[in-house]
């Protein structure tokens, strides 16, 4: 047994003491938590709520909301990467009935896995016309936990990508791959370690997690309660975050809320009721949650829960798809649990109502891995309005675009039942949206490279019009105005010139060495890696870890993090600068989060260039296994970020121990306007200039 546990295989026993037989000789990766800080035995056993302070304008402008699981669903995402008999049963049950139209989106690692999955599904009786395969590499079956986390952004569908276990980098990157390559929607990197199984959105912009969120994101790393609440509000649209106590790891190896609570609808919740002989802390936590949820207006129903050795048997680990709820059962694997199955199904029916169909799924083989049905699926929300919804991602307001330059217009559009949109029309306005001029007609790729016209305005807006197959139209407009003007750009990169330096490759943790330290590293990168500056000089890397066109930092030592400082001497007079754009291209292996900061000379601290400073207050972040971009713009207070000698200092910080970072290109672009237009950069409008 000790050997099996050390290899990531934890056996469990049935009621008779016999070992549960796994469906494979070696179990797939289990769900119980990897890494992080230990369980807190002194945690409060009472739930409490957090409300968000003033928000940053991320992921972008627009109203963000998390769809509850009882809202309309277009389909269900699965991963065919373990416990394939359970995945098969779910896909068959979802797609077989002809009266339902939900899609099974199945992630497979390669075409051979796709063929295997298709054969399994067909043999079980699945309707293959409702199955869509997505080929992407992955580590495990626990798709709920690594995402994607779907959100509505001004009514259009987008994705939030949080951090997952460092030891499962392929899983960690799947949400971004799904957004970029398959669903064609923006993905926003939420710099927080949280698993989807430990988050349930509820009514009125509420959300529920366990205190595991504090263990995975400790205050010592900058994640105090207010900042956690801010991230949930900003990225997921949660105005009230309810922190429920976490079950002891001896009871549940995940710490996730879906192992003991499920929100059935806007006023109904199911909470586990542990058997009398169960762990006293588990009993207290679940019992204490009842009056708390009742105080929020929920009617509470209770289903049985118990432990056999390491295995936590639960009936709350279910999921809803419109008027069907898929519920775990165990009596087929162990007849002694048939009474518990019957009790749980009766409770579920009472909670959901007679118009909701229950779909029992045998989960006896998967539950020893610390998860069941909810853990291996993610509902894809269904857009139900007749006309498309459109959100303009960028430019969304406040930018400066120089005439004649090429800029990217980005948008997301969603139509009824999530069907593809055949036509997108792009327009720009110079008078705050009163009139518009056509740019082009294109397809719904989400991006268009626009040559900025020769106009002068600080009242520019972009409008995106989506036309559906049935000729319905929806439109989105930049949230606020932006500026277009003629001017000049100075490029500061490592291709030419002097007065540009890179230092580093590693430091201890942020608090020990980076916090408030402008030069946490001092070794020149060219002394550490040959041709480091040449490799940073142009955007030319196309390969992976060993691409010779990329500056590849040395591996950090044990308990050290990849840290680089880059300095540029800016020649422009601060009074002449209208905009500074900072762009980094590269990636971090193993989905390590890389963060871009700029030094704030007033606060003497690393910052986002927009008034926030300190750890986690970055210009941008990226966590991925292929090339990505970090980008930030500074539009004012340039003296905070450029000192009297012209020095500007940037920090590229990777927040995970021992993982190196990969740098392809770094450039600072300084934009200045014609002298007669400088007042425009300070906020005057067109009429002022004409007068």
């Amino acid at each position: 047994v000790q050997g099996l546990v050390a290899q990531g295989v934890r056996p469990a026993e049935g009621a008779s003491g016999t070992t549960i037989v796994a469906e494979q000789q070696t179990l797939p990766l289990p769900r119980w938590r990897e890494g992080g800080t230990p369980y807190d035995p002194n945690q409060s056993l009472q739930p409490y709520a957090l409300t968000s302070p003033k928000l940053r304008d991320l992921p972008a402008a627009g109203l963000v909301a998390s769809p509850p699981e009882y809202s309309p669903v277009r389909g269900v995402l699965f991963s065919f990467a373990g416990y394939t008999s359970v995945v098969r049963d779910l896909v068959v049950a979802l797609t077989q009935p002809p009266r339902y139209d939900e899609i099974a989106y199945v992630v497979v690692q390669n075409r051979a896995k796709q063929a295997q999955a298709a054969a399994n599904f067909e043999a079980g009786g699945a309707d293959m016309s409702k199955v869509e395969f997505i080929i992407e590499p992955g580590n495990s079956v626990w798709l709920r936990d690594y995402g994607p986390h779907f959100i509505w952004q001004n009514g259009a569908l987008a994705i939030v990508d949080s951090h997952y276990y460092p030891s499962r980098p392929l899983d960690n990157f799947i949400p971004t791959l799904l957004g970029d390559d398959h669903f064609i929607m923006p993905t926003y990197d939420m710099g927080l370690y949280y698993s989807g199984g430990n988050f349930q959105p509820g009514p009125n912009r509420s959300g529920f997690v366990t205190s595991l969120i504090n263990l995975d994101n400790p205050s010592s790393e900058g994640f105090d309660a207010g900042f956690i609440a801010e991230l949930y509000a900003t990225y997921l649209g949660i105005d009230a975050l309810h922190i429920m106590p976490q079950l002891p790891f001896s009871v549940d190896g995940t710490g996730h809320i879906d192992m003991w609570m499920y929100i059935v609808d806007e006023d109904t919740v199911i909470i586990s009721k542990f058997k009398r002989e169960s762990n006293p802390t588990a009993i207290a936590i679940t019992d204490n949650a009842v009056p708390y949820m009742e105080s929020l207006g929920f009617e509470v129903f209770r289903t049985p829960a118990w432990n056999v050795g390491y295995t936590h048997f639960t009936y709350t680990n279910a999921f809803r798809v419109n008027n069907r709820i898929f519920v775990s059962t165990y009596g087929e694997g162990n007849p002694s649990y048939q009474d518990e199955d019957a009790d749980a199904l009766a409770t579920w029916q009472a909670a959901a109502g007679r118009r909701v169909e229950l779909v029992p799924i045998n989960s006896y083989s998967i539950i020893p891995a610390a998860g069941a049905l909810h853990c291996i699926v993610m509902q894809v929300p269904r857009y139900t309005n007749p006309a498309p919804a459109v959100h303009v991602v960028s430019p969304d307001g406040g930018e400066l675009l120089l005439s004649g330059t090429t800029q990217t217009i980005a948008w997301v559009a969603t139509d009824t039942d999530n069907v593809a949109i055949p036509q997108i029309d792009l327009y720009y306005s110079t008078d705050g949206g009163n009139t518009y001029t056509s740019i082009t007609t294109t397809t719904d790729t989400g991006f268009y490279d626009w040559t900025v016209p020769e106009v002068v305005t600080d009242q520019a807006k972009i409008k995106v019009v989506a036309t559906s197959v049935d000729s319905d139209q929806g439109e989105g407009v930049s949230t606020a105005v932006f500026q277009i003007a003629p001017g000049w750009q100075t490029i500061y990169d490592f291709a030419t010139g002097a007065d540009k330096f890179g230092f580093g490759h590693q430091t201890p943790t942020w608090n020990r060495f980076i916090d408030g330290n402008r030069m946490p590293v001092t070794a020149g990168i060219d002394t550490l890696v040959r041709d480091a500056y040449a490799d940073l000089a142009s955007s030319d890397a196309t390969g992976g870890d060993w691409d010779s066109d990329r500056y590849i930092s040395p591996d950090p030592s044990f308990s050290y993090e990849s840290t680089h400082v880059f300095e540029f001497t800016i020649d422009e007079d601060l009074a002449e600068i209208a905009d500074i754009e900072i762009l980094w291209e590269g990636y971090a292996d193993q989905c390590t989060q890389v963060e871009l900061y700029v030094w704030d000379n007033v606060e003497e601290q690393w910052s986002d260039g927009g008034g926030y400073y300190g750890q986690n207050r970055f210009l941008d972040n990226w966590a991925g296994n292929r090339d990505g971009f970090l980008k930030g713009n500074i539009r004012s207070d340039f003296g905070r970020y450029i000192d009297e000698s012209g020095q500007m200092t940037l920090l590229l910080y990777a927040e995970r121990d021992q993982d190196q970072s990969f740098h392809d290109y770094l450039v600072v672009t300084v934009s200045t306007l014609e002298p007669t237009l400088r007042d425009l950069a300070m906020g005057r409008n067109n009429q002022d200039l004409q007068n």
Side-chain angles (χ1 to χ4, degrees), residues 471-490:
S471 299
D472 290 330
Q473 287 190 333
E475 67 178 47
V477 177
S478 301
T479 303
V481 296
F482 59 92
Q483 182 180 2
I484 300 175
W488 301 269
Q489 290 184 330
T490 304

Side-chain angles (χ1 to χ4, degrees), residues 535-543 547 549-551 566 582-588 594 596 620 622 626-631 652 661-667:
D535 294 337
L536 274 169
S538 60
S539 173
D540 56 359
T542 58
D547 192 320
D549 292 325
R550 195 189 313 276
Y551 161 53
F566 296 95
I582 303 162
L583 176 67
W584 172 90
E585 180 184 351
Y587 80 103
V594 179
L596 172 64
D620 201 0
W622 164 255
R626 66 178 181 187
D627 261 18
F629 299 88
L630 300 179
K631 182 179 178 182
L652 267 298
S661 51
F662 301 76
H663 310 248
D664 183 20
Y665 184 53
L666 180 63
V667 57

Side-chain angles (χ1 to χ4, degrees), residues 154 390-392 395 432-433 436 461-464 475-480:
N154 273 357
V390 185
H391 174 67
V392 177
Y436 282 93
K461 283 192 170 185
I462 292 293
K463 180 168 71 173
V464 179
E475 67 178 47
V477 177
S478 301
T479 303

Side-chain angles (χ1 to χ4, degrees), residues 1-75:
V1 172
Q2 290 177 344
L4 289 172
V5 172
Q7 296 174 45
V9 180
R10 180 175 291 178
E13 295 184 350
S16 63
T18 58
T19 300
I20 294 174
V21 178
E23 63 179 355
Q24 299 179 13
Q25 185 174 5
T26 300
L27 289 176
L29 288 171
R31 192 195 189 207
W32 52 79
R33 183 169 169 271
E34 296 179 357
T37 52
Y39 176 76
D40 178 11
N42 299 314
Q43 69 166 336
S44 169
L45 301 186
Q46 295 290 341
Y48 61 95
L50 296 176
T51 55
S52 173
K54 183 179 179 181
L55 302 181
R56 306 174 70 189
D57 57 343
L58 292 174
L63 180 65
V64 172
S66 286
E69 294 185 33
Y70 51 79
S71 61
V73 171
R74 181 66 186 104

Side-chain angles (χ1 to χ4, degrees), residues 510 513-520 565-567 582 596-609 612-614 617 619 634 637-643 647-651:
W510 182 285
F513 214 68
I514 299 174
D515 190 20
N517 186 356
R518 180 170 181 158
M519 289 299 295
V565 165
F566 296 95
E567 290 190 337
I582 303 162
L596 172 64
Y597 297 83
V598 59
W599 181 258
D600 185 323
N601 294 297
V602 175
E603 296 294 337
E604 296 187 338
Q605 184 59 275
W606 298 106
S607 77
D608 68 349
Y612 289 86
Y613 48 88
R617 301 296 189 168
L619 283 86
I634 302 173
D637 296 328
F638 302 111
R640 296 180 71 107
Y641 313 108
I642 301 173
D643 68 15
Q647 188 177 67
M648 184 178 195
T649 308
L650 307 176
L651 172 70

Side-chain angles (χ1 to χ4, degrees), residues 306-328:
W306 68 97
N307 278 83
V308 178
Y310 286 113
T311 301
H312 172 199
F313 289 88
T314 176
Y315 293 97
T316 65
N317 201 268
F319 68 96
R320 182 165 188 163
V321 180
N322 299 315
N323 67 340
R324 288 186 287 174
I325 298 178
F326 297 76
V327 182
S328 294

